[in-house]
Amino acid sequence: MTALADILRRQIAAQGPITVAEYMAQCLLHPRHGYYITRDPLGQAGDFTTAPEISQMFGEVLGLLIAQVWMDQGAPSPFTLAELGPGRGTLMADILRATAKVPGFQAGAQVHLVEASPVLRAAQAQRVPGAVWHDSADTLPADQPLFIVANEFFDALPIRQFLRHPKGWAERVVGLEGDALTFGLSPPAPLAALDDRLDQTLEGAMVETCAPALPVIDALSTRIAAQGGFALIVDYGDWGSAGDTLQAIWRQQKDAPLAHPGEADLTAHVDFRALAAATPLAATPLTPQGALLARLGIAQRAETLARNLTGAALESHLAAYRRLTEAAEMGQLFKALGLYPQGALQPPGFGQVT
C-alpha cells in the first residue's frame, strides 16, 4: 500500500471509477504524494535515465541544431531559449556549452524552463543559473521568438484510453475490486472525437488520446507563428496511437501501472501525428532519434571525445554512443519532430530513413 493508493481507494469508493488520465495526473503530480513532486527520478538512484544523462553528446548536437535554425531565421535577438520538463537541467546546460562560440546566440538568449517539480527546479538552478521558471508553457514570453526543446516531456502527460466496441467506444477506467485498484470499462457509446479512428481500428482495438498536450502545442504554436522560432520534440512513440502503451517503472524495473501509485513513473507513447495536426506550423518529417543524431554529426563528436579516453572511460563513452543511436537501443524507439514557421527553411537533420 502506498499513501496515494489509500487516497485513491477512498476517492473511488465514494465517487466511482476515475479515468486513466485522472489516475496518471494524481500519481505524477499529487501535491503531497505525486511522483514528480517528491523526488528526483533520474539516474542510478532514480527509476530511469534520459538521453542527456547518458551522454553530453546528445545535448551538444541538438544545441547546434537549434543554433543553426536560429541563424537560418536571421539570428533574432533577443529570443527565448526554453525547455519543457528539463529534468536536472543537464540538457540545457549542454546546449549552452555547445553554443557558447556561436556569435550572438547566447548574448540574445533568455533562458526559460517549464518545470512543475520543486525538487527538480533546485537541481536545475545549479546547472542553469539565471533561468526563469514557469509552471506551464502558457506563461512563456509571447513578444519574442521562441526556440524550445521538449525531450521526454509529452510521454508523461495524462492519457485517456478507449476500447473499440460495436456500440462505439468504452473508456478504460480505474476502479476497485475489493480493496485493490483495478482496470475496468465504462459503458460503450459513440464518441464524435474518435469518429476518424473508426476506419483505422478493428473491434477490440485500443486508442489513446492526450488532451493535455493540445494546449501546450497551442501555446508554442501561437508564439512561433507570430514571432518565429522552432520547437524540437524528442520522445518515444510513433505517427499515430498504437494500442495500450501505458507503462510504469518502479525502482528501475517495469511494473504494473496500478501497483505503486505515487511511487512509480507512469508514461505512454506519444502520438506525433496528433501533435502535428494540432498546430498551424510547418512540421518536419518524423525522424528516428538515431538517424537525426547521425545526420547532425554525433559520430564525429563521439570520435573527437574518444581521443582523450582509454580503458573503462572509453568503453563507457562508446556504450553511451551506441545507446543513443542504435536501433536496438534508443535510436529507433525515440523519434524527433520539429515545428517551425510556414515558409521558413526546414531544420537540418530531419527526413525519412533511406
Side-chain angles (χ1 to χ4, degrees), residues 230-285:
F230 172 51
L232 173 60
I233 302 168
V234 184
D235 225 313
Y236 63 93
D238 216 326
W239 194 254
S241 174
D244 178 11
T245 70
L246 179 66
Q247 63 181 25
I249 300 293
W250 182 64
R251 297 180 179 176
Q252 301 189 16
Q253 300 292 327
K254 288 187 176 181
D255 194 33
L258 302 182
H260 297 95
E263 295 183 0
D265 181 41
L266 296 177
T267 62
H269 284 210
V270 175
D271 180 353
F272 285 95
R273 178 171 58 190
L275 299 185
T279 176
L281 299 174
T284 66

Side-chain angles (χ1 to χ4, degrees), residues 93-150:
D94 290 340
I95 289 172
L96 292 171
R97 186 181 62 256
T99 56
K101 295 183 179 180
V102 177
F105 185 83
Q106 291 196 15
Q110 298 175 358
V111 178
H112 293 253
L113 304 175
V114 179
E115 178 59 66
S117 167
V119 176
L120 291 176
R121 281 194 182 193
Q124 294 156 18
Q126 296 182 13
R127 292 173 175 82
V128 193
V132 178
W133 279 267
H134 301 261
D135 292 328
S136 74
D138 291 337
T139 58
L140 288 168
D143 58 352
Q144 59 191 34
L146 171 64
F147 292 80
I148 188 165
V149 60

Side-chain angles (χ1 to χ4, degrees), residues 80-323:
T80 300
L81 178 63
E83 184 177 356
L84 300 177
R88 293 174 174 167
T90 304
L91 176 56
M92 183 57 74
D94 290 340
I95 289 172
L96 292 171
R97 186 181 62 256
T99 56
K101 295 183 179 180
V102 177
F105 185 83
Q106 291 196 15
Q110 298 175 358
V111 178
H112 293 253
L113 304 175
V114 179
E115 178 59 66
S117 167
V119 176
L120 291 176
R121 281 194 182 193
Q124 294 156 18
Q126 296 182 13
R127 292 173 175 82
V128 193
V132 178
W133 279 267
H134 301 261
D135 292 328
S136 74
D138 291 337
T139 58
L140 288 168
D143 58 352
Q144 59 191 34
L146 171 64
F147 292 80
I148 188 165
V149 60
N151 179 63
E152 292 197 56
F153 171 80
F154 285 94
D155 66 281
L157 296 182
I159 61 163
R160 295 174 69 181
Q161 296 181 312
F162 298 90
L163 197 70
R164 175 82 183 273
H165 186 274
K167 295 182 179 179
W169 298 93
E171 182 165 11
R172 197 183 195 193
V173 295
V174 178
L176 289 175
E177 186 173 310
D179 287 334
L181 295 172
T182 186
F183 285 119
L185 292 171
S186 69
L191 188 62
L194 292 179
D195 281 349
D196 63 329
R197 305 307 300 270
L198 293 174
D199 294 334
Q200 305 167 11
T201 56
L202 299 174
E203 185 176 331
M206 182 169 285
V207 168
E208 296 175 341
T209 65
C210 184
L214 303 184
V216 177
I217 291 294
D218 182 65
L220 306 186
S221 299
T222 299
R223 288 157 176 76
I224 294 173
Q227 303 289 341
F230 172 51
L232 173 60
I233 302 168
V234 184
D235 225 313
Y236 63 93
D238 216 326
W239 194 254
S241 174
D244 178 11
T245 70
L246 179 66
Q247 63 181 25
I249 300 293
W250 182 64
R251 297 180 179 176
Q252 301 189 16
Q253 300 292 327
K254 288 187 176 181
D255 194 33
L258 302 182
H260 297 95
E263 295 183 0
D265 181 41
L266 296 177
T267 62
H269 284 210
V270 175
D271 180 353
F272 285 95
R273 178 171 58 190
L275 299 185
T279 176
L281 299 174
T284 66
L286 185 64
T287 304
Q289 174 178 296
L292 177 66
L293 295 177
R295 292 168 184 156
L296 295 176
I298 194 173
Q300 293 81 355
R301 180 57 178 155
E303 183 178 351
T304 298
L305 292 173
R307 291 171 187 165
N308 298 320
L309 300 175
T310 59
L314 177 60
E315 288 301 315
S316 178
H317 169 65
L318 295 176
Y321 168 74
R322 292 191 294 268
R323 188 171 177 186

